[in-house]
Amino acid sequence: MNNIGTICLKPCIPFPIQCPKPSFRKFTLTTILRSSLQDSQPPNSNQEQQQQQQLNLSVLRFTLGIPGLDESYLPRWIGYGFGSLLLLNHFLGSDAAAVTPAQLSTEVLGLSLASFSIVLPYLGKFLKGAQPVDEKTIPDGTEQIFVMSTEIGNGLKEDLAWASYVLLRNTNAIAMLILIQGEICARGYWNIPADTSKEILLDWFKKKIEKAALYDLKDTLYFPQDAGSEFQDLVPIGTRCLLIQPVLHVSNESDTGSQNPDGFILLASTTRYAFSNKDKAWIAAVANKYRGRVV
């Protein structure tokens, strides 16, 4: 009678309990600016990867994406806006008899800053020694096109499409032509024959390139005021500035003298002195991304 069994009220659950851990998926909102043309092969070392990242950053250009707005003149419009608000507040928003010396000092300081913002774009161009250029215009009789050879690989197609877009978007060029190992990518405003198909248009560009003898180009050609009589048939009508950047292939990295032409990048503009030194260095960096690429 003394041996009374103990009743356990706890549920019989095996120990330890293998409960699945809650999984949390991390969502991050990022804005990817694909302005680099990545090589088909990964870098062999961390140092090469760092150099590749530095080169990728060198071709990044951030813009607001507003059509017709030159971002270099953005401080001027900001100065106009805040200067106008200060004048409206002084003459319409406050009583002339109640204006204090502190308010006057603040308004004078604000107008001075607004004036400095207005002249800042002109001051920057003056310090760089830049010459005024005409506004980029589209010649009459041109047609907007975007053609590319069908034999190019998908990875290179994507790179050529993005490079052609950023070159036209971030420079004063109205037309561009990229030749890589005999394959063509043309974009922008060109004087093309009427009612032509894509295949006929590619053959038309190849004949123009052969006539201009650009397959063996090794040096950069820049015509800031005149497109050159030998290239009049190749570039669109009304071209006043022409830049041709060669794409050179180096078979041996240690031998810098054996550079063979692999193609070129051609940019045409209707303005004089359309490409600054910064533009030419940036275009050369884009051309270097195609060194040794396989189509």
Side-chain angles (χ1 to χ4, degrees):
M1 296 299 294
N2 295 330
N3 296 330
I4 300 176
T6 303
I7 300 176
C8 181
L9 299 179
K10 295 182 180 181
C12 183
I13 301 177
F15 185 82
I17 303 174
Q18 300 293 333
C19 296
K21 296 182 179 180
S23 60
F24 299 94
R25 181 174 296 177
K26 184 179 179 181
F27 294 92
T28 58
L29 182 59
T30 59
T31 302
I32 301 177
L33 296 177
R34 184 186 174 89
S35 296
S36 62
L37 308 176
Q38 300 179 357
D39 295 334
S40 58
Q41 296 181 356
N44 297 327
S45 62
N46 294 331
Q47 184 178 2
E48 293 181 359
Q49 186 176 6
Q50 293 177 359
Q51 294 177 356
Q52 182 72 18
Q53 292 176 356
Q54 292 177 359
L55 183 58
N56 292 343
L57 291 176
S58 66
V59 298
L60 280 174
R61 286 195 172 189
F62 299 96
T63 59
L64 297 178
I66 303 176
L69 176 63
D70 188 357
E71 284 79 6
S72 61
Y73 289 99
L74 187 59
R76 182 179 67 177
W77 303 115
I78 294 177
Y80 281 141
F82 283 99
S84 301
L85 291 176
L86 286 174
L87 293 177
L88 289 176
N89 180 71
H90 178 78
F91 292 104
L92 300 179
S94 60
D95 189 5
V99 175
T100 61
Q103 180 180 350
L104 289 176
S105 301
T106 304
E107 290 176 349
V108 171
L109 179 60
L111 290 175
S112 300
L113 294 176
S115 302
F116 178 75
S117 299
I118 293 172
V119 301
L120 184 60
Y122 303 103
L123 182 62
K125 290 188 175 182
F126 175 77
L127 293 177
K128 293 179 180 179
Q131 299 182 2
V133 297
D134 302 330
E135 185 179 358
K136 180 171 63 174
T137 57
I138 306 302
D140 296 333
T142 58
E143 183 179 352
Q144 189 175 12
I145 63 170
F146 179 33
V147 294
M148 190 182 303
S149 300
T150 57
E151 292 79 6
I152 304 176
N154 293 330
L156 187 56
K157 278 185 179 180
E158 184 180 354
D159 290 342
L160 288 174
W162 183 255
S164 61
Y165 171 77
V166 296
L167 286 174
L168 291 176
R169 175 65 180 85
N170 296 326
T171 64
N172 289 321
I174 63 167
M176 59 80 54
L177 175 65
I178 299 180
L179 177 70
I180 302 294
Q181 300 179 11
E183 306 301 333
I184 292 176
C185 174
R187 194 167 188 169
Y189 292 89
W190 291 86
N191 300 97
I192 60 174
D195 299 331
T196 56
S197 62
K198 179 180 178 181
E199 292 75 13
I200 297 177
L201 194 57
L202 290 173
D203 294 336
W204 180 79
F205 274 110
K206 289 182 179 180
K207 293 179 181 179
K208 294 291 185 181
I209 295 172
E210 291 177 356
K211 185 178 181 180
L214 292 176
Y215 281 104
D216 297 330
L217 181 65
K218 292 185 178 181
D219 299 323
T220 303
L221 300 180
Y222 181 46
F223 302 92
Q225 300 184 75
D226 186 10
S229 58
E230 62 271 22
F231 302 114
Q232 290 294 337
D233 295 334
L234 176 62
V235 298
I237 297 177
T239 299
R240 305 177 65 184
C241 182
L242 177 65
L243 174 65
I244 306 178
Q245 177 66 43
V247 178
L248 301 177
H249 172 63
V250 182
S251 57
N252 189 1
E253 295 294 339
S254 61
D255 188 7
T256 59
S258 59
Q259 295 183 351
N260 301 320
D262 214 11
F264 62 84
I265 296 178
L266 182 148
L267 295 173
S269 177
T270 55
T271 64
R272 296 178 300 122
Y273 303 97
F275 307 106
S276 62
N277 293 332
K278 184 183 296 185
D279 292 330
K280 288 184 285 186
W282 178 59
I283 295 169
V286 175
N288 288 334
K289 298 294 294 183
Y290 294 107
R291 295 164 67 98
R293 293 294 297 269
V294 179
V295 297

